[in-house]
PDB file of all heavy atoms in Angstrom:
ATOM      1  N   VAL B  62       0.808  -4.043   8.640  1.00 98.00           N
ATOM      2  CA  VAL B  62      -0.647  -3.840   8.648  1.00 98.00           C
ATOM      3  C   VAL B  62      -1.015  -2.500   9.285  1.00 98.00           C
ATOM      4  O   VAL B  62      -2.097  -1.979   9.035  1.00 98.00           O
ATOM      5  CB  VAL B  62      -1.395  -5.032   9.303  1.00 98.00           C
ATOM      6  CG1 VAL B  62      -1.471  -4.901  10.817  1.00 98.00           C
ATOM      7  CG2 VAL B  62      -2.795  -5.181   8.701  1.00 98.00           C
ATOM      8  N   HIS B  92       7.485  -2.600   2.006  1.00 98.00           N
ATOM      9  CA  HIS B  92       6.725  -2.967   0.805  1.00 98.00           C
ATOM     10  C   HIS B  92       5.372  -2.265   0.769  1.00 98.00           C
ATOM     11  O   HIS B  92       4.852  -1.979  -0.300  1.00 98.00           O
ATOM     12  CB  HIS B  92       6.551  -4.489   0.726  1.00 98.00           C
ATOM     13  CG  HIS B  92       5.758  -5.057   1.868  1.00 98.00           C
ATOM     14  ND1 HIS B  92       6.211  -5.083   3.164  1.00 98.00           N
ATOM     15  CD2 HIS B  92       4.520  -5.605   1.910  1.00 98.00           C
ATOM     16  CE1 HIS B  92       5.291  -5.623   3.949  1.00 98.00           C
ATOM     17  NE2 HIS B  92       4.259  -5.954   3.222  1.00 98.00           N
ATOM     18  N   GLN B  97       2.891   0.408  -2.047  1.00 98.00           N
ATOM     19  CA  GLN B  97       1.435   0.625  -2.002  1.00 98.00           C
ATOM     20  C   GLN B  97       1.078   2.075  -1.683  1.00 98.00           C
ATOM     21  O   GLN B  97       0.451   2.743  -2.488  1.00 98.00           O
ATOM     22  CB  GLN B  97       0.808  -0.337  -0.979  1.00 98.00           C
ATOM     23  CG  GLN B  97       1.143  -1.812  -1.243  1.00 98.00           C
ATOM     24  CD  GLN B  97       0.564  -2.342  -2.535  1.00 98.00           C
ATOM     25  OE1 GLN B  97      -0.536  -1.985  -2.935  1.00 98.00           O
ATOM     26  NE2 GLN B  97       1.303  -3.201  -3.223  1.00 98.00           N
ATOM     27  N   ARG B 104      -1.316   3.861  -9.245  1.00 97.00           N
ATOM     28  CA  ARG B 104      -1.840   2.544  -9.613  1.00 97.00           C
ATOM     29  C   ARG B 104      -3.325   2.602  -9.931  1.00 97.00           C
ATOM     30  O   ARG B 104      -3.822   1.795 -10.708  1.00 97.00           O
ATOM     31  CB  ARG B 104      -1.619   1.548  -8.464  1.00 97.00           C
ATOM     32  CG  ARG B 104      -0.178   1.200  -8.187  1.00 97.00           C
ATOM     33  CD  ARG B 104      -0.076   0.099  -7.131  1.00 97.00           C
ATOM     34  NE  ARG B 104      -0.862  -1.034  -7.538  1.00 97.00           N
ATOM     35  CZ  ARG B 104      -1.926  -1.476  -6.891  1.00 97.00           C
ATOM     36  NH1 ARG B 104      -2.305  -0.921  -5.765  1.00 97.00           N
ATOM     37  NH2 ARG B 104      -2.599  -2.496  -7.345  1.00 97.00           N
ATOM     38  N   TYR B 109      -7.678   6.704  -6.100  1.00 98.00           N
ATOM     39  CA  TYR B 109      -7.419   6.634  -4.660  1.00 98.00           C
ATOM     40  C   TYR B 109      -6.154   7.415  -4.298  1.00 98.00           C
ATOM     41  O   TYR B 109      -5.045   6.888  -4.379  1.00 98.00           O
ATOM     42  CB  TYR B 109      -7.288   5.181  -4.198  1.00 98.00           C
ATOM     43  CG  TYR B 109      -8.551   4.377  -4.420  1.00 98.00           C
ATOM     44  CD1 TYR B 109      -8.632   3.417  -5.416  1.00 98.00           C
ATOM     45  CD2 TYR B 109      -9.673   4.626  -3.645  1.00 98.00           C
ATOM     46  CE1 TYR B 109      -9.800   2.704  -5.633  1.00 98.00           C
ATOM     47  CE2 TYR B 109     -10.857   3.921  -3.857  1.00 98.00           C
ATOM     48  CZ  TYR B 109     -10.911   2.958  -4.856  1.00 98.00           C
ATOM     49  OH  TYR B 109     -12.071   2.262  -5.073  1.00 98.00           O
ATOM     50  N   LEU B 143       5.696   9.482  -2.740  1.00 98.00           N
ATOM     51  CA  LEU B 143       5.776   9.776  -1.310  1.00 98.00           C
ATOM     52  C   LEU B 143       6.490  11.116  -1.109  1.00 98.00           C
ATOM     53  O   LEU B 143       7.381  11.468  -1.892  1.00 98.00           O
ATOM     54  CB  LEU B 143       6.591   8.666  -0.635  1.00 98.00           C
ATOM     55  CG  LEU B 143       6.628   8.605   0.895  1.00 98.00           C
ATOM     56  CD1 LEU B 143       5.239   8.285   1.457  1.00 98.00           C
ATOM     57  CD2 LEU B 143       7.630   7.535   1.349  1.00 98.00           C
ATOM     58  N   ASP B 166      -1.191  14.281  -0.617  1.00 98.00           N
ATOM     59  CA  ASP B 166      -0.292  13.156  -0.895  1.00 98.00           C
ATOM     60  C   ASP B 166       0.231  12.551   0.412  1.00 98.00           C
ATOM     61  O   ASP B 166       0.259  13.217   1.442  1.00 98.00           O
ATOM     62  CB  ASP B 166       0.893  13.655  -1.735  1.00 98.00           C
ATOM     63  CG  ASP B 166       0.445  14.133  -3.108  1.00 98.00           C
ATOM     64  OD1 ASP B 166      -0.304  13.399  -3.767  1.00 98.00           O
ATOM     65  OD2 ASP B 166       0.826  15.256  -3.503  1.00 98.00           O
ATOM     66  N   GLU B 272      22.602  12.607  -3.401  1.00 98.00           N
ATOM     67  CA  GLU B 272      21.600  13.290  -4.227  1.00 98.00           C
ATOM     68  C   GLU B 272      21.813  14.802  -4.175  1.00 98.00           C
ATOM     69  O   GLU B 272      21.708  15.504  -5.187  1.00 98.00           O
ATOM     70  CB  GLU B 272      20.200  12.932  -3.716  1.00 98.00           C
ATOM     71  CG  GLU B 272      19.063  13.538  -4.505  1.00 98.00           C
ATOM     72  CD  GLU B 272      19.102  13.144  -5.966  1.00 98.00           C
ATOM     73  OE1 GLU B 272      19.287  11.954  -6.240  1.00 98.00           O
ATOM     74  OE2 GLU B 272      18.983  14.041  -6.821  1.00 98.00           O
ATOM     75  N   THR B 276      22.754  17.286  -7.178  1.00 98.00           N
ATOM     76  CA  THR B 276      21.864  18.405  -7.488  1.00 98.00           C
ATOM     77  C   THR B 276      22.644  19.727  -7.490  1.00 98.00           C
ATOM     78  O   THR B 276      22.442  20.583  -8.361  1.00 98.00           O
ATOM     79  CB  THR B 276      20.709  18.461  -6.469  1.00 98.00           C
ATOM     80  OG1 THR B 276      20.025  17.206  -6.496  1.00 98.00           O
ATOM     81  CG2 THR B 276      19.730  19.574  -6.800  1.00 98.00           C
TER      82      THR B 276
ATOM     83  N   LEU R 127     -14.529  -0.855  -5.643  1.00 98.00           N
ATOM     84  CA  LEU R 127     -13.520  -1.806  -6.075  1.00 98.00           C
ATOM     85  C   LEU R 127     -12.138  -1.166  -5.976  1.00 98.00           C
ATOM     86  O   LEU R 127     -11.964  -0.020  -6.375  1.00 98.00           O
ATOM     87  CB  LEU R 127     -13.842  -2.142  -7.548  1.00 98.00           C
ATOM     88  CG  LEU R 127     -13.060  -3.206  -8.278  1.00 98.00           C
ATOM     89  CD1 LEU R 127     -13.210  -4.556  -7.598  1.00 98.00           C
ATOM     90  CD2 LEU R 127     -13.583  -3.295  -9.727  1.00 98.00           C
ATOM     91  N   TYR R 130      -6.441  -3.785  -9.475  1.00 97.00           N
ATOM     92  CA  TYR R 130      -5.703  -5.050  -9.512  1.00 97.00           C
ATOM     93  C   TYR R 130      -4.515  -4.965  -8.559  1.00 97.00           C
ATOM     94  O   TYR R 130      -3.888  -3.923  -8.428  1.00 97.00           O
ATOM     95  CB  TYR R 130      -5.137  -5.288 -10.921  1.00 97.00           C
ATOM     96  CG  TYR R 130      -6.105  -5.876 -11.907  1.00 97.00           C
ATOM     97  CD1 TYR R 130      -6.683  -5.096 -12.895  1.00 97.00           C
ATOM     98  CD2 TYR R 130      -6.400  -7.229 -11.869  1.00 97.00           C
ATOM     99  CE1 TYR R 130      -7.556  -5.640 -13.822  1.00 97.00           C
ATOM    100  CE2 TYR R 130      -7.272  -7.787 -12.797  1.00 97.00           C
ATOM    101  CZ  TYR R 130      -7.838  -6.989 -13.770  1.00 97.00           C
ATOM    102  OH  TYR R 130      -8.693  -7.545 -14.684  1.00 97.00           O
ATOM    103  N   GLN R 131      -4.174  -6.061  -7.923  1.00 97.00           N
ATOM    104  CA  GLN R 131      -3.002  -6.090  -7.050  1.00 97.00           C
ATOM    105  C   GLN R 131      -2.039  -7.162  -7.544  1.00 97.00           C
ATOM    106  O   GLN R 131      -2.424  -8.332  -7.671  1.00 97.00           O
ATOM    107  CB  GLN R 131      -3.413  -6.404  -5.614  1.00 97.00           C
ATOM    108  CG  GLN R 131      -2.268  -6.436  -4.634  1.00 97.00           C
ATOM    109  CD  GLN R 131      -1.533  -5.112  -4.538  1.00 97.00           C
ATOM    110  OE1 GLN R 131      -0.467  -4.925  -5.112  1.00 97.00           O
ATOM    111  NE2 GLN R 131      -2.134  -4.150  -3.843  1.00 97.00           N
ATOM    112  N   HIS R 140      -5.140  -3.779   3.070  1.00 98.00           N
ATOM    113  CA  HIS R 140      -5.978  -2.692   2.543  1.00 98.00           C
ATOM    114  C   HIS R 140      -7.454  -3.007   2.791  1.00 98.00           C
ATOM    115  O   HIS R 140      -8.238  -2.132   3.172  1.00 98.00           O
ATOM    116  CB  HIS R 140      -5.762  -2.504   1.046  1.00 98.00           C
ATOM    117  CG  HIS R 140      -4.333  -2.266   0.648  1.00 98.00           C
ATOM    118  ND1 HIS R 140      -3.905  -2.237  -0.654  1.00 98.00           N
ATOM    119  CD2 HIS R 140      -3.220  -2.060   1.400  1.00 98.00           C
ATOM    120  CE1 HIS R 140      -2.594  -2.016  -0.687  1.00 98.00           C
ATOM    121  NE2 HIS R 140      -2.153  -1.917   0.544  1.00 98.00           N
ATOM    122  N   ASP R 170       1.891 -10.348   5.207  1.00 98.00           N
ATOM    123  CA  ASP R 170       0.728  -9.451   5.135  1.00 98.00           C
ATOM    124  C   ASP R 170      -0.579 -10.202   5.393  1.00 98.00           C
ATOM    125  O   ASP R 170      -1.513  -9.638   5.962  1.00 98.00           O
ATOM    126  CB  ASP R 170       0.642  -8.791   3.745  1.00 98.00           C
ATOM    127  CG  ASP R 170       1.514  -7.533   3.646  1.00 98.00           C
ATOM    128  OD1 ASP R 170       2.218  -7.214   4.619  1.00 98.00           O
ATOM    129  OD2 ASP R 170       1.476  -6.883   2.587  1.00 98.00           O
ATOM    130  N   GLU R 173      -0.782 -10.695   9.186  1.00 98.00           N
ATOM    131  CA  GLU R 173      -1.009  -9.433   9.904  1.00 98.00           C
ATOM    132  C   GLU R 173      -2.429  -8.927   9.683  1.00 98.00           C
ATOM    133  O   GLU R 173      -3.067  -8.393  10.597  1.00 98.00           O
ATOM    134  CB  GLU R 173       0.009  -8.372   9.456  1.00 98.00           C
ATOM    135  CG  GLU R 173       1.433  -8.697   9.887  1.00 98.00           C
ATOM    136  CD  GLU R 173       2.406  -7.528   9.666  1.00 98.00           C
ATOM    137  OE1 GLU R 173       1.976  -6.366   9.617  1.00 98.00           O
ATOM    138  OE2 GLU R 173       3.624  -7.804   9.548  1.00 98.00           O
ATOM    139  N   TYR R 337       1.472  12.248  -7.988  1.00 98.00           N
ATOM    140  CA  TYR R 337       1.146  13.116  -6.848  1.00 98.00           C
ATOM    141  C   TYR R 337      -0.089  13.936  -7.205  1.00 98.00           C
ATOM    142  O   TYR R 337      -0.335  14.205  -8.384  1.00 98.00           O
ATOM    143  CB  TYR R 337       2.282  14.117  -6.578  1.00 98.00           C
ATOM    144  CG  TYR R 337       3.575  13.520  -6.081  1.00 98.00           C
ATOM    145  CD1 TYR R 337       4.578  13.148  -6.969  1.00 98.00           C
ATOM    146  CD2 TYR R 337       3.818  13.370  -4.714  1.00 98.00           C
ATOM    147  CE1 TYR R 337       5.784  12.627  -6.513  1.00 98.00           C
ATOM    148  CE2 TYR R 337       5.023  12.861  -4.256  1.00 98.00           C
ATOM    149  CZ  TYR R 337       5.997  12.486  -5.153  1.00 98.00           C
ATOM    150  OH  TYR R 337       7.175  11.975  -4.694  1.00 98.00           O
ATOM    151  N   ALA R 338      -0.812  14.381  -6.177  1.00 98.00           N
ATOM    152  CA  ALA R 338      -1.847  15.386  -6.399  1.00 98.00           C
ATOM    153  C   ALA R 338      -1.185  16.752  -6.521  1.00 98.00           C
ATOM    154  O   ALA R 338      -1.603  17.609  -7.288  1.00 98.00           O
ATOM    155  CB  ALA R 338      -2.841  15.381  -5.243  1.00 98.00           C
ATOM    156  N   ARG R 343      10.545  19.170  -9.303  1.00 96.00           N
ATOM    157  CA  ARG R 343      11.504  18.382 -10.083  1.00 96.00           C
ATOM    158  C   ARG R 343      10.777  17.413 -11.027  1.00 96.00           C
ATOM    159  O   ARG R 343      11.120  17.291 -12.195  1.00 96.00           O
ATOM    160  CB  ARG R 343      12.402  17.613  -9.123  1.00 96.00           C
ATOM    161  CG  ARG R 343      13.394  16.739  -9.818  1.00 96.00           C
ATOM    162  CD  ARG R 343      14.309  16.051  -8.815  1.00 96.00           C
ATOM    163  NE  ARG R 343      15.493  16.854  -8.568  1.00 96.00           N
ATOM    164  CZ  ARG R 343      16.585  16.393  -7.943  1.00 96.00           C
ATOM    165  NH1 ARG R 343      16.619  15.166  -7.498  1.00 96.00           N
ATOM    166  NH2 ARG R 343      17.614  17.159  -7.759  1.00 96.00           N
TER     167      ARG R 343
END
Side-chain angles (χ1 to χ4, degrees):
Chain B
V62 85
H92 63 292
Q97 305 295 324
R104 293 186 54 244
Y109 298 107
L143 190 66
D166 295 311
E272 182 58 47
T276 303
Chain R
L127 186 61
Y130 278 104
Q131 181 61 259
H140 305 172
D170 275 3
E173 292 190 24
Y337 293 92
R343 178 177 269 194

